[in-house]
Amino acid sequence: MSKEKSTIIYTLTDEAPYLATAAFLPIIRTFTAPADIEVVESDISVAARILAEFPDCLSDEQKVPNNLSALGKLTLLPDTNIIKLPNISAALGQLTAAIKELQFQGYKIPNYPENPQTEEEKAIRARYSKCLGSSVNPVLREGNSDRRAPAAVKRYARNNPHSMGKWSQASRTHVSHMHGGDFYSSEKSMVMPQACDVRMDLVTKSGKTVVLKEKVSLLEGEIIDSMFMSKKALCKFYEDEIQDAYETRVMFSLHVKATMMKVSHPIVFGHAVKIFYKTAFEKHGELFKQLGVNPNNGLSSVYEKIATLPSSKREEIINDLHACHEHNPELAMVDSAKGITNLHSPNDVIVDASMPAMIRAGGKMWGADGRLKDTKAVMPESTFARIYQEMINFCKTHGNFDPVTMGSVPNVGLMAQQAEEYGSHDKTFEIAEPGVARVVTLDGTVLLEQNVEEGDIWRMCQVKDAPIRDWVKLAVTRARQSNTPAVFWLDEYRPHEAELIKKVTRYLKDHDTTGLDIQIMSQTRAMRYTLERIIRGKDTISVTGNILRDYLTDLFPILELGTSAKMLSVVPLMNGGGLFETGAGGSAPKHVKQLVEENHLRWDSLGEFLALAVSIEDVGIKKNNPKAKILAKTLDEATGQLLENRKSPSSRTGELDNRGSQFYLALYWAQALAAQTEDKELQAHFTKLAKQLKDNEEKIVSELSVVQGKSVDIGGYYKPDLKKLEQVMRPSATLNEIIGSAK
Ligand SMILES: NC(=O)C1=CN([C@@H]2O[C@H](COP(=O)(O)OP(=O)(O)OC[C@H]3O[C@@H](n4cnc5c(N)ncnc54)[C@H](OP(=O)(O)O)[C@@H]3O)[C@@H](O)[C@H]2O)C=CC1
Ligand SMILES: O=C(O)CCC(=O)C(=O)O
Ligand SMILES: [Mg+2]
């Protein structure tokens, strides 16, 4: 075996996964040390990213390195091995809350200038905007996405089916999307015949040329798209849908992804807020403007900004807001107990998680009275909304899916090198005045142009040729390795996808596809085809663009497994390294609340366990490290044991939680290492650990459970205090002692 030390980089992120890491890292290090694998941390939490942007405001002790940028560079190297946990893609409310907390902790960073006037304020805002929305994933995902439910996980779900709401043919739940004026209907696309630099500008009706983006460097073969969403059409759509929901007495809900589509979707969300609360916004428009109310941050922005007003004025506004509910449909709730609606904050309802939850619940969402009801799920962009309607149609006809018998839908997703929507963040603009929006080469040739009006959202997306080739290759590899049909979900009527289809057809010829079943279908057909197979217990790989990668890898796992936390989520980096993501879901804010209030962490670290196994296996293969290979294999066995013995965390306080589940993983892993005979050294080492853990099982489990039920202090939400966190997350002295001494 090579004696070279290998490194796995373990990211520190936010919220529940960060809490879980505080307990899990010491365990990991105890297991990897004998295989000469060093596990190093890299803090890419939203708090760390903010601090890294403002070294000039911090004392020397407070300064932190820009880990994200360093990791971004490492993703280009073949040796890189990163485990990436879910992180906050901050909506503005989350960003400002994090800033406030850091200021409170003594970091002298500036306030977020919501309405920057001076050059200095504009510069501060530009720095903060680097921490907004999806700003980690597009940097690290230098490869395409391979997400699937491992066999043991699928088997567990079949043997222990989660609850599923019943679908009725009489359900009135449906999806509403725009039929014109959205990105889909305006999209133009082209393939770059050669590399060149372009700019994005607006030639206004009054004859000015406003440069919106000075330079975008494009490569030969790159697909670029220009598209816009019409503000007029969007507002008319909302008016009609709100009225329709009111007349037909069905609940209204809005589903966007304001975090990942960090420029366009907050605007899309804000228009819904302004239209739903139209009379109040009309009456108090001037005052709201003065106060700096930003509807793109949801109704919570109104409540926040009016807090300083005299109580009589405040009450008047609140009454006017409430009055809007009288002539409007009922709104779906995020938290009915607290009166928090679907329009409260743009990061409360994130489409990839919210739509599957609704479909799993039989097409229902919570009403203000705490009851589940049918809903009009409004998703303005028609591009992908239709897949959900297709699934709803299917459920109405066939009833709910059965986790015991249903097949599986792994995904191969295009996302490398800021593909598609990931690359649109700095190329999305709210148009200030009517004119022609253009993508122009620096020598003046117009490549794409469209007429836009004030308030329209115009954007450019791009996808480079190399990621497309890699994506096709990954699809063929997965189809071959799993002997499963693969379907490219591509719509020939969408200009961007028509170009993709041409490339896919061409690049498929580079591979031996004999005996493989690989097809290309529009999204709705692909959904229908996949569902016809799923109810027959058959698996189908979905090969999709970036948005559907995101949507489908929550949708199918939530239906199949009850959660997307149990997904294996691998990003084979294009230059040979590996990015191993954990699960396919987010960072579960409500889990933190439960920990702080009741000292119970329901977060399931199964995603981390699965990611760790493939990450260690990667070390084993690339570094020719047989001990690592054994560690990976036995970790997989341990994960299987954990599922079989039902040692996953429970959601109920007092029962086994994340920490207990991690203890069992350690026990089963040590036992599996003790049982193997390939490596005597590892066997001897872990036999002792396995015995100690087993002998103390009862004591450890009791130490982990006795602390539950009381509130705890972790010293911060976005930047917890390390000592306090360690105390809370590692409450078993016995376990700590055994893990510490075994290293
Ligand atoms: N890869 C990434 O970095 C991603 C980051 N995010 C970020 O995460 C945050 C929250 O996003 P949201 O859309 O609310 O989605 P989440 O996936 O965080 O939450 C939805 C629900 O899913 C369940 N869940 C998710 N993961 C786990 C797990 N490991 N163990 C147990 N239950 C789990 C929980 O439901 P319950 O408790 O009811 O069982 C949770 O409340 C946002 O800030 C978002 O930007 C979102 C997606 C991906
Ligand atoms: O990048 C993000 O903001 C979210 C990513 C996500 O939801 C996913 O990868 O599933
Ligand atoms: Mg997602």
Side-chain angles (χ1 to χ4, degrees):
M1 161 194 158
S2 90
K3 267 289 160 201
E4 197 191 336
K5 239 195 177 13
S6 308
T7 304
I8 291 177
I9 301 168
Y10 203 89
T11 54
L12 305 183
T13 58
D14 308 278
E15 297 179 331
Y18 179 59
L19 302 178
T21 299
F24 193 38
L25 258 183
I27 297 178
I28 299 180
R29 289 188 170 129
T30 292
F31 279 82
T32 53
D36 281 319
I37 301 173
E38 192 184 4
V39 180
V40 300
E41 299 163 16
S42 178
D43 187 352
I44 52 166
S45 62
V46 67
R49 286 182 281 127
I50 291 172
L51 294 180
E53 276 304 322
F54 291 95
D56 44 320
C57 304
L58 305 178
S59 69
D60 283 347
E61 302 79 67
Q62 288 177 328
K63 283 186 185 141
V64 298
N66 190 330
N67 290 326
L68 179 61
S69 139
L71 288 189
K73 291 187 186 118
L74 287 177
T75 58
L76 302 173
L77 305 179
D79 265 359
T80 297
N81 184 317
I82 302 173
I83 295 181
K84 150 73 175 72
L85 281 77
N87 62 281
I88 291 179
S89 294
L92 198 51
Q94 289 164 299
L95 182 73
T96 48
I99 294 170
K100 224 188 222 165
E101 179 179 314
L102 289 168
Q103 288 170 333
F104 181 74
Q105 292 179 357
Y107 297 93
K108 294 201 167 42
I109 50 173
N111 286 330
Y112 178 84
E114 279 195 40
N115 193 9
Q117 301 296 330
T118 64
E119 285 310 309
E120 191 192 348
E121 284 176 347
K122 283 182 192 157
I124 294 173
R125 190 176 147 127
R127 282 159 93 177
Y128 273 130
S129 71
K130 291 190 203 151
C131 308
L132 263 182
S134 273
S135 38
V136 167
N137 292 327
V139 174
L140 299 186
R141 291 175 170 173
E142 263 294 318
N144 291 306
S145 158
D146 167 12
R147 288 183 179 176
R148 55 198 134 106
V153 169
K154 187 70 182 166
R155 196 164 49 242
Y156 173 80
R158 288 203 158 124
N159 294 336
N160 303 275
H162 51 272
S163 64
M164 291 289 264
K166 289 261 170 291
W167 268 93
S168 154
Q169 278 201 312
S171 167
R172 297 187 321 127
T173 290
H174 60 273
V175 175
S176 295
H177 58 77
M178 295 169 76
H179 291 274
D182 65 342
F183 288 127
Y184 181 91
S185 50
S186 65
E187 186 172 88
K188 291 182 176 177
S189 188
M190 67 176 287
V191 178
M192 295 307 297
Q194 66 209 30
C196 80
D197 293 341
V198 296
R199 69 162 189 267
M200 296 175 75
D201 67 20
L202 175 74
V203 180
T204 67
K205 271 210 169 127
S206 56
K208 283 179 295 178
T209 299
V210 184
V211 175
L212 296 171
K213 174 98 191 155
E214 272 176 17
K215 190 169 125 184
V216 183
S217 297
L218 302 171
L219 298 176
E220 184 184 334
E222 184 157 358
I223 304 176
I224 60 165
D225 323 310
S226 163
M227 66 200 87
F228 70 98
M229 179 175 276
S230 152
K231 174 181 159 187
K232 257 190 216 146
L234 175 67
C235 292
K236 171 83 172 59
F237 163 73
Y238 281 142
E239 300 264 8
D240 291 350
E241 294 307 324
I242 289 171
Q243 188 59 26
D244 182 64
Y246 180 65
E247 282 170 14
T248 58
R249 298 277 156 210
V250 69
M251 228 164 36
F252 180 95
S253 62
L254 178 67
H255 303 259
V256 291
K257 182 125 190 184
T259 51
M260 185 166 147
M261 256 59 77
K262 68 180 181 182
V263 186
S264 56
H265 278 196
I267 304 171
V268 169
F269 185 85
H271 285 304
V273 174
K274 278 180 289 189
I275 289 172
F276 197 91
Y277 295 101
K278 197 175 185 176
T279 44
F281 269 83
E282 274 170 3
K283 181 171 166 197
H284 302 285
E286 257 324 297
L287 176 63
F288 283 4
K289 219 184 204 164
Q290 283 165 24
L291 292 171
V293 167
N294 184 355
N296 299 1
N297 295 342
L299 204 61
S300 61
S301 170
V302 180
Y303 284 109
E304 187 197 315
K305 301 290 178 187
I306 64 171
T308 51
L309 293 177
S311 64
S312 59
K313 189 70 192 168
R314 213 169 52 228
E315 267 166 38
E316 181 196 330
I317 295 172
I318 292 174
N319 284 339
D320 289 337
L321 290 170
H322 286 173
C324 294
H325 287 273
E326 276 161 32
H327 54 266
N328 271 335
E330 186 178 353
L331 272 182
M333 303 302 280
V334 170
D335 186 339
S336 54
K338 293 211 175 102
I340 294 182
T341 73
N342 193 272
L343 296 180
H344 190 75
S345 165
N347 60 295
D348 277 348
V349 182
I350 303 185
V351 56
D352 51 345
S354 64
M355 284 303 290
M358 183 193 92
I359 293 172
R360 184 184 160 193
K364 307 222 181 260
M365 291 184 75
W366 296 100
D369 55 4
R371 287 165 194 250
L372 283 167
K373 295 177 188 171
D374 289 351
T375 186
K376 175 191 279 296
V378 173
M379 234 173 284
E381 280 187 65
S382 61
T383 323
F384 306 113
R386 286 176 302 171
I387 60 142
Y388 292 112
Q389 184 61 51
E390 194 62 33
M391 183 177 259
I392 288 171
N393 293 345
F394 196 87
C395 290
K396 282 186 192 172
T397 313
H398 295 270
N400 51 288
F401 298 106
D402 180 357
V404 177
T405 53
M406 74 191 288
S408 193
V409 184
N411 177 268
V412 173
L414 175 61
M415 66 177 188
Q417 299 182 347
Q418 317 216 338
E420 303 188 326
E421 289 77 2
Y422 265 162
S424 69
H425 296 158
D426 59 351
K427 300 175 200 68
T428 304
F429 304 96
E430 196 170 15
I431 295 294
E433 48 179 312
V436 182
R438 316 182 309 171
V439 176
V440 198
T441 62
L442 295 193
D443 60 16
T445 313
V446 177
L447 298 182
L448 298 166
E449 64 178 348
Q450 31 211 182
N451 293 321
V452 288
E453 296 181 7
E454 181 275 323
D456 290 355
I457 308 166
W458 177 52
R459 73 177 188 199
M460 176 180 159
C461 291
Q462 55 193 121
V463 52
K464 301 189 198 314
D465 187 59
I468 300 172
R469 283 178 197 256
D470 180 81
W471 173 58
V472 172
K473 181 174 154 213
L474 187 58
V476 174
T477 310
R478 289 304 312 148
R480 176 75 66 201
Q481 284 177 354
S482 59
N483 192 22
T484 304
V487 178
F488 283 84
W489 295 41
L490 295 172
D491 175 1
E492 62 179 307
Y493 294 109
R494 198 186 148 196
H496 167 77
E497 296 186 3
E499 296 298 345
L500 268 183
I501 289 173
K502 285 186 219 158
K503 284 187 184 269
V504 167
T505 314
R506 189 166 349 125
Y507 298 148
L508 277 173
K509 298 200 177 100
D510 295 341
H511 303 278
D512 175 13
T513 53
T514 341
L516 297 182
D517 177 357
I518 297 180
Q519 303 186 56
I520 301 175
M521 292 179 205
S522 75
Q523 282 88 1
T524 42
R525 279 169 194 238
M527 176 59 97
R528 182 62 197 255
Y529 177 78
T530 301
L531 295 180
E532 289 291 355
R533 292 175 53 83
I534 220 172
I535 55 164
R536 290 167 178 81
K538 292 184 186 246
D539 305 343
T540 318
I541 301 172
S542 62
V543 190
T544 67
N546 197 14
I547 291 290
L548 285 183
R549 164 200 64 76
D550 181 35
Y551 291 9
L552 299 190
T553 58
D554 260 345
L555 179 61
F556 286 111
I558 286 173
L559 299 172
E560 291 176 35
L561 317 170
T563 172
S564 58
K566 295 178 178 166
M567 293 293 275
L568 179 61
S569 181
V570 180
V571 184
L573 297 171
M574 285 173 58
N575 288 347
L579 175 67
F580 305 95
E581 299 201 23
T582 77
S587 45
K590 74 180 179 193
H591 293 196
V592 187
K593 190 166 172 283
Q594 191 183 12
L595 177 92
V596 171
E597 288 172 2
E598 303 172 14
N599 199 1
H600 177 92
L601 184 63
R602 71 202 283 191
W603 175 259
D604 190 340
S605 284
L606 197 82
E608 285 100 288
F609 305 158
L610 297 170
L612 181 62
V614 278
S615 159
I616 298 177
E617 184 187 35
D618 188 69
V619 169
I621 296 167
K622 289 200 183 126
K623 300 281 173 168
N624 188 24
N625 178 338
K627 280 192 164 49
K629 287 184 193 163
I630 293 170
L631 279 183
K633 195 164 147 252
T634 47
L635 175 52
D636 265 339
E637 286 166 26
T639 309
Q641 280 271 309
L642 187 93
L643 286 170
E644 242 166 67
N645 296 340
R646 301 184 187 208
K647 298 297 184 192
S648 301
S650 153
S651 58
R652 274 189 292 274
T653 300
E655 298 180 358
L656 195 81
D657 81 345
N658 178 276
R659 296 162 286 192
S661 176
Q662 291 185 8
F663 158 69
Y664 277 104
L665 182 88
L667 171 64
Y668 299 143
W669 195 1
Q671 286 178 334
L673 281 158
Q676 58 81 35
T677 49
E678 269 174 79
D679 186 311
K680 298 284 179 209
E681 224 174 66
L682 284 180
Q683 188 182 34
H685 181 84
F686 284 102
T687 300
K688 187 169 158 226
L689 179 63
K691 182 168 180 336
Q692 283 177 320
L693 290 172
K694 184 69 199 160
D695 288 350
N696 288 283
E697 176 178 352
E698 224 170 278
K699 191 166 174 218
I700 292 170
V701 172
S702 142
E703 285 174 358
L704 291 174
S705 81
V706 66
V707 295
Q708 292 191 34
K710 292 172 247 67
S711 67
V712 288
D713 173 22
I714 50 171
Y717 186 91
Y718 293 96
K719 190 167 174 27
D721 177 278
L722 285 183
K723 278 218 176 76
K724 288 182 177 170
L725 182 64
E726 160 138 8
Q727 264 167 15
V728 170
M729 286 309 300
R730 306 190 67 207
S732 164
T734 314
L735 177 62
N736 298 350
E737 165 63 27
I738 296 172
I739 290 295
S741 59
K743 198 167 156 193

